[in-house]
Amino acid sequence: MAGSELTNVRSPRVKAARRLTKRAFREQDRKFLAEGPQAVREALKLDGVTLELFSTAEAELRHPELITEATLKGVPVHRASGEVMSELSQTVTPQGLVAVCRLVHVPLEEALAGEPRLVAVLAHVRDPGNAGTVMRAADAAGADAVVFTDASVDPYNGKCVRASVGSLFHLPVTIGAPVGSAVRQLRERGLRVLAADGAGKHTLDDVDLSGPTAWIFGNEAWGLPEEILTEADDVVRVPIYGQAESLNLATAAAVCLYSSARAQRVP
């Protein structure tokens, strides 16, 4: 690792990275922060995405392969003091690795290119932890894309990036599409649009999920508004067999996405 340790939290380099914790600056600079070894590892797999890497001496010893890979790819690596890392980190206990990355989202048309069979749509989802976990579940279920509508949380929010555990870098993500426009394009690509809602007339046990499907998931507190429910081809709820009042957004999304993935894979 070239150069001396960064110790000044007011240095231009640190300040330029630190500003990316704010959405307005992420949008302005077209960059975001990816924190932790798994996020850094997945970012480095994409050519040209990782712009620079900050690492503490301890993290360098724990993850020498990441330092080596970054160096081989020509990514500047800066050793940072604990104080500097605390400035860049958005966690109580920093993991010692923070990468500055280019934004990776794509236009909706590109995200839906080819023949998509499973898409997750986040409509009015505001909690970044839930949103990142839905991305992770969609990735694990083999989804073809994740759509963040215009009223949803920023997928580059630090908590959202961490909750995705690298999945942000694995599948096409699109942001800012109005729900109506997204639904129209999904139908044009041949997907059936299902809204996941606790007030749904049908349950997962009642619907045929073997065909191409897009799931719309709503706000954690109040679900999907009526105008979005009417946009969908059907409103479906996850059946509750026990006494729990409901499932949280990320859990319900994982159940729905895996139900579709399984149905599409059964001979």
Side-chain angles (χ1 to χ4, degrees):
M1 186 184 296
S4 58
E5 183 177 74
L6 286 170
T7 59
N8 185 359
V9 296
R10 296 181 178 85
S11 71
R13 175 168 284 131
V14 174
K15 289 173 68 176
R18 173 64 182 168
R19 69 189 247 128
L20 301 177
T21 59
K22 304 295 185 182
R23 182 171 189 168
F25 291 126
R26 291 195 293 269
E27 293 175 350
Q28 180 178 320
D29 296 352
R30 308 293 297 169
K31 301 173 186 176
F32 72 103
L33 299 179
E35 181 179 352
Q38 184 60 22
V40 170
R41 182 175 294 108
E42 300 312 308
L44 285 170
K45 291 178 181 179
L46 299 179
D47 291 338
V49 166
T50 307
L51 300 175
E52 56 183 331
L53 177 63
F54 294 85
S55 173
T56 61
E58 292 80 6
E60 181 184 352
L61 292 174
R62 289 197 304 271
H63 306 285
E65 76 287 357
L66 297 180
I67 305 302
T68 299
E69 185 175 359
T71 302
L72 290 174
K73 290 193 170 186
V75 176
V77 180
H78 315 296
R79 178 176 292 169
S81 67
E83 186 178 6
V84 166
M85 188 56 64
S86 293
E87 280 291 302
L88 299 178
S89 173
Q90 298 176 68
T91 61
V92 175
T93 306
Q95 298 182 64
L97 287 168
V98 174
V100 176
C101 301
R102 298 185 193 278
L103 302 187
V104 295
H105 65 273
V106 299
L108 183 57
E109 296 80 5
E110 183 178 334
L112 300 181
E115 298 180 355
R117 293 188 57 80
L118 184 58
V119 175
V121 180
L122 284 74
H124 300 274
V125 174
R126 304 292 175 83
D127 181 85
N130 267 331
T133 304
V134 172
M135 271 198 286
R136 185 181 183 184
D139 181 19
D144 299 289
V146 176
V147 178
F148 283 73
T149 63
D150 54 359
S152 285
V153 67
D154 178 14
Y156 301 113
N157 173 289
K159 186 175 181 180
C160 190
V161 175
R162 292 193 301 277
S164 81
V165 198
S167 289
L168 173 64
F169 302 104
H170 292 168
L171 73 175
V173 173
T174 184
I175 65 176
V179 174
S181 174
V183 169
R184 285 192 296 274
Q185 292 190 59
L186 288 162
R187 286 204 182 100
E188 289 172 1
R189 300 302 304 168
L191 289 98
R192 182 185 182 198
V193 179
L194 300 179
D197 192 90
K201 180 179 178 181
H202 301 112
T203 73
L204 281 173
D205 297 332
D206 302 326
V207 294
D208 179 6
L209 299 174
S210 60
T213 303
W215 282 99
I216 304 179
F217 305 110
N219 183 274
E220 300 80 6
W222 58 81
L224 290 166
E226 187 62 32
E227 59 268 25
I228 294 180
L229 296 177
T230 58
E231 290 268 11
D233 295 312
D234 202 349
V235 181
V236 181
R237 71 180 189 275
V238 176
I240 302 293
Y241 301 119
Q243 299 182 59
E245 183 271 333
S246 64
L247 296 172
N248 76 355
L249 166 65
T251 302
V255 172
C256 293
L257 290 165
Y258 265 92
S259 294
S260 285
R262 181 179 183 280
Q264 291 177 4
R265 285 163 174 75
V266 172

